[in-house]
Amino acid sequence: MALYNRVNGRVLKEKMRAETQKRVTISFYKYHHISDPAVFRDQLYLGLEAMEVLGRIYVASEGINAQISVPEEKAEAFRAYLYSIPFLDNVRLNIAVQDDGKSFFKLKILVRKKIVADGLDDSTFDASKTGVHVNAKEFNALAEDPNTIIVDMRNHYESEVGHFKNAILPDVDTFREELQLVEDLMKEQKDKNLLMYCTGGIRCEKASAWMKHQGFKNIFQLNGGIIEYTRQVKQEGIENKFIGKNFVFDERLGERITDDIIAVCHQCGQPCDDHVNCKNDGCHLLFIQCKACAEKYNQCCSEECQHILTLPEEAQKEIRKGVNKGRQVFKKGRSENILYKPE
């Protein structure tokens, strides 16, 4: 039995878009020593595939990081299966804020060196000594304290469309860059309350432990991240200090938290917060594009990519040869290839 998907991605995407059964998008993570990540990965694949679970999961010797889509009718069976794994018993499951059931089109489980690329040598500090976990109400109280500095531990393209009020928004592409930047930024303010947040909490787990290791005294992290915060403010009727969209790493590319649109189209500068990937398979740049520009440029980031789409498929394949297939993102304010520069 194949322990990976063999069907063409385009076929799977069409199947996902046509699917009528309701699905629930869930994310979870757990730092825990896994003695044989490859064996655990295969066992997990078999268990999840049997329940028609789709998604992307990273497994490493340090734990698991998962974003998945589960058929609604099998949600309880999935929960029972997951909790039957001893180290995942009662792990917090973050349920998507805004979900159309079209978040993933295949099941992909990868064995990695780390479940989040942080660039840290874990042997040099105790990653279990994290900051104080706070809920939504406690987060709001700390945010009102003049001695608190709020730091967004996500990448620039995430915070560009949504963030907490008065937060510092580092202009970085990766979490690895962010750790060093925040450490340098805060080095003269080690007695301040450092209040960190991210999408679901996983980046803050490592970041808070690292900052404590660097001598910062008052470290706090939003438990469950933006996703859990949003659930709590709705459930408890408390003030929502987050504005805009919560960027997510799946086919949806964002969850609407408030009606505020705080970003602009990278091609025309009109208010917009819809992330897209350039339609040219040899580019796939992640950027913000309004509907008018999507029509004008045929869902591409540039006239060059738009032209490539008019070429025969074989010619497009030739152009794509040797192209880096890694994630390419619009560089906010730092790229020589700015799509749009505000006046």
Side-chain angles (χ1 to χ4, degrees):
M1 182 178 182
L3 299 182
Y4 56 90
N5 170 68
R6 289 179 171 176
V7 182
N8 181 277
R10 289 183 180 179
V11 173
L12 291 173
K13 281 188 178 182
E14 288 303 315
K15 180 181 177 181
M16 177 264 288
R17 287 166 184 154
E19 190 177 74
T20 57
Q21 73 169 324
K22 292 184 178 180
R23 285 181 166 270
V24 182
T25 301
I26 298 170
S27 61
F28 66 90
Y29 68 88
K30 182 73 173 183
Y31 280 101
H32 176 85
H33 177 67
I34 299 175
S35 58
D36 194 330
V39 169
F40 176 75
R41 179 261 174 214
D42 289 349
Q43 293 172 341
L44 187 66
Y45 191 99
L46 289 171
L48 296 184
E49 186 185 46
M51 289 180 281
E52 300 179 80
V53 172
L54 306 175
R56 180 177 55 250
I57 301 174
Y58 298 141
V59 174
S61 58
E62 68 173 359
I64 182 172
N65 180 15
Q67 295 87 40
I68 57 174
S69 170
V70 182
E72 192 175 71
E73 63 181 20
K74 297 181 180 180
E76 287 307 312
F78 161 75
R79 188 189 299 267
Y81 167 75
L82 192 69
Y83 288 178
S84 72
I85 301 171
F87 81 90
L88 292 175
D89 187 20
N90 285 319
V91 67
R92 184 186 61 248
L93 301 179
N94 280 334
I95 310 299
V97 175
Q98 186 182 41
D99 194 2
D100 60 4
K102 311 294 183 184
S103 52
F104 293 98
F105 60 90
K106 66 180 177 180
L107 177 60
K108 189 174 183 179
I109 307 181
L110 301 175
V111 175
R112 292 279 184 88
K113 289 184 178 180
K114 290 197 171 190
I115 54 177
V116 175
D118 52 39
L120 299 176
D121 181 354
D122 291 351
S123 67
T124 63
F125 71 105
D126 188 346
S128 68
K129 292 183 178 179
T130 62
V132 177
H133 292 72
V134 297
N135 60 27
K137 191 174 292 184
E138 292 165 333
F139 181 96
N140 284 359
L142 277 166
E144 295 292 336
D145 187 334
N147 196 47
T148 295
I149 297 176
I150 307 171
V151 180
D152 192 317
M153 295 305 298
R154 303 172 302 153
N155 304 321
H156 74 79
Y157 53 88
E158 299 174 78
S159 61
E160 186 175 3
V161 295
H163 54 78
F164 280 101
K165 299 171 185 176
N166 302 318
I168 292 174
L169 313 173
D171 186 10
V172 296
D173 291 343
T174 66
F175 181 52
R176 182 194 302 248
E177 290 178 83
E178 175 129 35
L179 284 170
Q180 186 60 60
L181 188 150
V182 173
E183 183 183 336
D184 293 343
L185 185 68
M186 298 291 296
K187 63 184 177 182
E188 302 299 328
Q189 304 183 79
K190 291 191 174 183
D191 291 330
K192 294 278 189 179
N193 295 326
L194 176 54
L195 179 57
M196 299 186 294
Y197 69 89
C198 56
T199 307
I202 188 170
R203 283 175 277 190
C204 289
E205 289 290 324
K206 188 62 71 72
S208 67
W210 176 250
M211 296 300 280
K212 285 188 72 174
H213 176 68
Q214 296 303 312
F216 293 86
K217 299 176 181 178
N218 306 308
I219 307 294
F220 301 89
Q221 63 190 88
L222 181 57
N223 195 24
I226 299 163
I227 299 173
E228 176 62 13
Y229 175 91
T230 303
R231 187 192 69 78
Q232 289 180 19
V233 296
K234 287 182 177 179
Q235 187 177 61
E236 300 174 26
I238 60 179
E239 179 188 0
N240 179 15
K241 291 183 177 290
F242 189 91
I243 54 174
K245 257 186 182 178
N246 178 32
F247 182 93
V248 292
F249 292 89
D250 59 51
E251 294 295 312
R252 297 169 299 149
L253 292 176
E255 300 176 318
R256 173 67 59 196
I257 306 298
T258 72
D259 292 332
D260 304 276
I261 296 177
I262 63 173
V264 297
C265 172
H266 290 156
Q267 289 174 309
C268 70
Q270 293 301 307
C272 179
D273 59 7
D274 294 330
H275 273 104
V276 298
N277 285 109
C278 179
K279 194 176 179 180
N280 173 18
D281 286 340
C283 176
H284 273 180
L285 178 79
L286 178 71
F287 69 110
I288 296 173
Q289 184 181 55
C290 69
K291 288 181 172 59
C293 286
E295 183 175 350
K296 179 180 178 181
Y297 293 98
N298 192 20
Q299 301 173 48
C300 290
C301 69
S302 64
E303 292 181 352
E304 180 182 1
C305 284
Q306 186 178 12
H307 170 68
I308 289 173
L309 280 190
T310 67
L311 302 177
E313 181 60 31
E314 288 304 312
Q316 292 186 44
K317 286 181 179 179
E318 282 298 312
I319 294 173
R320 291 199 295 269
K321 284 183 178 179
V323 174
N324 177 16
K325 296 298 183 181
R327 176 178 284 272
Q328 303 295 318
V329 299
F330 171 75
K331 313 287 186 178
K332 185 179 71 173
R334 297 185 296 149
S335 173
E336 295 178 359
N337 301 312
I338 295 289
L339 301 181
Y340 165 73
K341 288 185 178 180
E343 295 295 334

